[in-house]
């Protein structure tokens, strides 16, 4: 798993880790049942405090992405096992989309262009997912 | 809430007539890696000495693990390990003897940790301590501090004598090895002016300037508040008068650079309202935040 941290992004470090693990899981770079590096190993690799990694893993566990097995470490859960209700899940996504829409407004990207861009990114994402599945 | 590892309230200390600390307050929760940042002479070492009862403050209170170090000096010292910025060993001792000597004062001693760190730092146990460089002395003192498995490590400028290339990795190894054995319980209190090496390690920090705490924040919170905004305009850039709310303002013909603290969104919107050709924003690193906070 490749995690890259950017201290200049202003995004809390643990949330950067959360986002990247979720990205790896969604794209298929990590598969259900795959083990994640230990807290200490990842802390050393990324040169961050172990508290930060522990916080990221705890957040991923609450979101239903990871499962903590006593004594043997952290593993990726199968998709579709989110503990949140569907309504809550769509509401969360709506909030994210709202911020994208605001960004688009400031970057003077029109509605059609935004829709096209979303379509393009989706295709790209599915393509990456397909390639992973083949390997 | 558990008892704070360190609680300092309104601490004042004077050297003769010169005041070194003017009403410093800070709290370190157990399990945190806490940075204590300041220039040389800002009062960092004076504060640490008050924690260890090496100095008696003029006024204010200091508690370590909830205890007053003046009354419970032995118990406080038994539960922490202090690595000063300049370490001295008895020059007739070998590395092995110096470690055994330290171990004789401690209730616990982790031989495994001691051995693996000696190997990692390539220190020969039979070598005399008199031949060690400043950096090697610090390494040896840190090995002793970690092998004793204390509840808290108090480090004063631990990287200042080290080769810049090994600094980061070294401090990462030390703090990782120390905290990993009892996650969430082991506290690190580190004073330094070399902040870059600690960028990812610090949970929370205080910036000390001329004996006063000028900023205390969680590292993530500080990085999201302190930002650098840059904008480029087609014509003349706006002047400082329009951006008095910025922490600093630099203007160069058609472009401006602002450092903001907390009011970034507001100032960003204002910049965008002036229709610039381009706007970029990035967070400051802890070192840049430190430099922006001290005069």
């Amino acid at each position: 798993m490749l995690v890259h941290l950017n201290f200049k992004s202003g995004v809390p470090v643990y949330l950067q880790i959360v986002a990247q693990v979720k990205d790896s899981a969604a794209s298929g770079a990590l598969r259900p049942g795959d083990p994640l590096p230990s807290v200490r190993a990842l802390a050393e690799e990324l040169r961050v405090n172990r508290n930060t990694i522990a916080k990221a893993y705890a957040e991923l566990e609450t979101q239903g992405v990871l499962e903590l097995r006593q004594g043997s470490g952290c593993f990726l859960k199968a998709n579709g096992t989110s503990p949140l209700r569907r309504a809550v899940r769509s509401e969360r996504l709506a909030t994210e989309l709202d911020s994208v829409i605001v960004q688009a407004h400031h970057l003077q990207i029109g509605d059609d262009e935004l829709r096209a861009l979303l379509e393009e990114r989706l295709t790209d994402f599915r393509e990456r997912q397909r390639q992973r599945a083949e390997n | 809430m558990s008892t704070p590892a360190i609680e300092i309230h309104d601490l004042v200390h004077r050297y003769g007539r010169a005041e070194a600390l003017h009403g410093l307050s800070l709290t370190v929760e157990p399990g945190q890696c806490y940075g204590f940042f300041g220039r040389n002479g800002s009062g960092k070492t004076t504060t640490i000495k008050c924690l260890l009862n090496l100095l008696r403050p003029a006024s204010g209170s200091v508690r370590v693990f909830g205890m007053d170090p003046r009354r419970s000096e032995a118990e406080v010292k038994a539960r922490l390990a202090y690595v000063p910025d300049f370490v001295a060993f008895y020059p007739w001792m070998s590395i092995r003897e110096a470690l055994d000597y330290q171990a004789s004062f401690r209730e616990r001693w982790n031989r495994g940790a001691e051995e693996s760190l000696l190997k990692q730092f390539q220190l020969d146990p039979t070598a005399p301590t008199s031949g060690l460089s400043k950096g090697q002395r610090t390494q040896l003192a840190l090995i002793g501090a970690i092998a004793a498995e204390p509840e808290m490590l108090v480090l004063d400028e631990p990287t200042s004598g080290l080769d810049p290339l090994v600094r980061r990795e070294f401090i990462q190894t030390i703090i990782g090895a120390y905290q990993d054995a009892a996650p969430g319980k082991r506290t690190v209190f580190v004073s330094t002016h070399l902040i870059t090496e600690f960028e990812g390690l610090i949970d929370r920090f205080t910036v000390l300037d001329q004996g006063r705490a000028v900023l205390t924040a969680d590292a993530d919170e500080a990085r999201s508040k302190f930002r650098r905004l840059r904008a480029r305009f087609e014509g003349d850039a706006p002047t400082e008068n329009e951006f008095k709310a910025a922490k600093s303002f630099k203007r160069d013909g058609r472009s401006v650079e602002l450092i903001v603290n907390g009011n970034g969104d507001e100032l960003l919107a204002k910049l965008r309202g002036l229709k610039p050709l381009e706007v970029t924003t990035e967070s400051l690193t802890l070192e840049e935040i430190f430099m922006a906070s001290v005069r």
Side-chain angles (χ1 to χ4, degrees):
Chain A
M1 187 177 61
L2 271 177
V3 177
H4 179 77
L5 297 181
N6 178 2
F7 289 109
K8 298 196 160 218
S9 69
V11 178
V13 175
Y14 84 99
L15 289 180
Q16 293 186 37
I17 299 168
V18 167
Q20 290 182 46
V21 170
K22 285 165 83 172
D23 185 77
S24 297
S27 71
L30 272 176
R31 292 185 189 156
D34 276 356
L36 272 95
S38 73
V39 171
R40 170 145 185 210
L42 193 56
E44 283 198 2
E45 190 191 318
L46 300 177
R47 299 185 187 285
V48 299
N49 193 309
R50 53 154 297 119
N51 294 346
T52 307
I53 309 288
K55 199 169 166 189
Y57 280 9
E59 176 64 27
L60 285 161
E61 200 192 3
T62 331
Q63 293 188 16
V65 180
L66 290 186
E67 140 178 62
L68 210 64
R69 290 184 209 150
Q70 212 61 44
S72 53
C74 261
F75 297 85
L76 195 73
K77 265 176 128 176
N79 197 13
T81 53
S82 168
L84 300 174
R85 281 183 303 118
R86 195 185 164 79
V88 179
R89 280 183 271 146
S90 7
E91 199 183 302
R92 287 217 176 158
L93 193 59
T95 317
E96 297 279 327
L97 285 174
D98 285 350
S99 69
V100 170
I101 293 167
V102 171
Q103 282 278 8
H105 169 82
H106 282 294
L107 296 168
Q108 288 132 45
I109 290 186
D111 292 2
D112 289 335
E113 202 179 337
L114 179 62
R115 277 187 209 104
L117 199 58
L118 177 65
E119 196 59 46
E120 185 196 308
R121 299 315 302 160
L122 257 178
T123 314
D124 182 74
F125 178 75
R126 294 298 172 207
E127 177 62 18
R128 273 192 295 152
Q129 220 175 18
R130 197 183 53 76
Q131 279 173 3
R132 296 257 187 219
E134 279 172 7
N135 294 334
Chain B
M1 279 295 266
S2 46
T3 312
I6 297 176
E7 207 170 8
I8 295 173
H9 188 69
D10 219 4
L11 188 64
V12 176
H13 186 75
R14 297 186 189 90
Y15 290 108
R17 279 161 66 194
E19 221 167 75
L21 291 173
H22 319 259
L24 174 70
S25 300
L26 64 87
T27 304
V28 179
E29 296 299 338
Q32 272 181 343
C33 186
Y34 200 101
F36 195 39
F37 303 150
R39 287 190 288 205
N40 293 333
S42 57
K44 302 190 300 284
T45 302
T46 302
T47 307
I48 289 177
K49 286 186 169 168
C50 291
L51 294 175
L52 300 162
N53 198 31
L54 298 171
L55 279 178
R56 301 221 156 176
S59 66
S61 80
V62 173
R63 292 288 176 275
V64 183
F65 310 119
M67 296 178 291
D68 182 346
R70 291 168 66 173
R71 285 202 206 138
S72 318
E73 184 176 345
E75 200 184 339
V76 164
K77 286 184 176 169
R79 289 169 64 180
L80 60 78
Y82 164 50
V83 178
D85 57 346
F86 191 82
V87 193
F89 296 98
Y90 290 114
W92 61 84
M93 286 186 180
S94 67
I95 288 181
R96 176 77 271 142
E97 286 165 336
L99 286 168
D100 288 345
Y101 180 67
Q102 284 185 61
S104 70
F105 295 99
R106 291 290 187 175
E107 217 167 282
R108 299 152 63 98
W109 197 263
N110 187 333
R111 288 275 162 208
E114 181 204 271
E115 225 170 276
S116 75
L117 288 169
L118 277 173
K119 231 177 253 164
Q120 211 167 336
F121 299 147
Q122 299 174 340
L123 292 173
D124 171 10
T126 63
T129 54
S130 56
L132 297 176
S133 69
K134 182 174 191 278
Q136 288 173 319
R137 281 165 195 274
T138 305
Q139 289 179 329
L140 181 54
L142 283 162
I143 294 174
I146 284 175
E149 304 193 315
E151 282 169 64
M152 176 158 65
L153 275 186
V154 177
L155 310 176
D156 196 356
E157 297 285 1
T159 57
S160 62
L162 299 171
D163 179 332
L165 285 176
V166 302
R167 268 182 201 155
R168 274 188 79 155
E169 192 176 355
F170 158 77
I171 205 67
Q172 174 72 57
T173 308
I174 286 291
I175 293 180
Y178 172 66
Q179 289 199 313
D180 206 58
K185 294 203 183 78
R186 293 190 165 179
T187 312
V188 179
F189 185 73
V190 56
S191 106
T192 188
H193 68 281
L194 299 166
I195 298 164
T196 313
E197 283 101 85
F198 294 91
E199 184 76 49
L201 289 171
I202 298 297
D203 289 316
R204 193 171 169 80
F205 65 92
T206 289
V207 174
L208 191 65
D209 190 27
Q210 296 173 14
R212 285 191 179 83
V214 290
L215 173 68
T216 293
D218 286 342
D220 277 333
E221 175 200 346
R223 281 188 288 254
S224 74
K225 276 189 179 166
F226 281 85
R227 284 192 278 162
R228 179 184 291 113
L229 314 180
R230 288 199 183 101
R232 207 160 48 81
F233 295 86
E234 202 163 11
D236 282 348
T239 58
E240 190 163 358
N241 283 334
E242 298 173 65
F243 288 93
K244 287 207 165 116
K247 196 153 172 64
S248 86
F249 184 93
K250 270 192 267 177
R251 180 172 180 274
D252 180 18
R254 290 184 214 163
S255 45
V256 289
E257 184 184 303
L258 283 68
I259 301 282
V260 299
N261 171 15
N263 51 0
D265 289 341
E266 196 184 304
L267 293 176
L268 191 61
K270 194 167 169 185
L271 273 178
R272 284 197 170 123
L274 299 169
K275 304 274 175 230
L277 294 172
E278 187 189 31
V279 191
T280 59
T281 157
E282 65 178 18
S283 287
L284 300 193
T285 62
L286 293 185
E287 174 142 311
E288 291 170 322
I289 293 168
F290 165 68
M291 291 192 296
S293 318
V294 298
R295 278 140 295 158

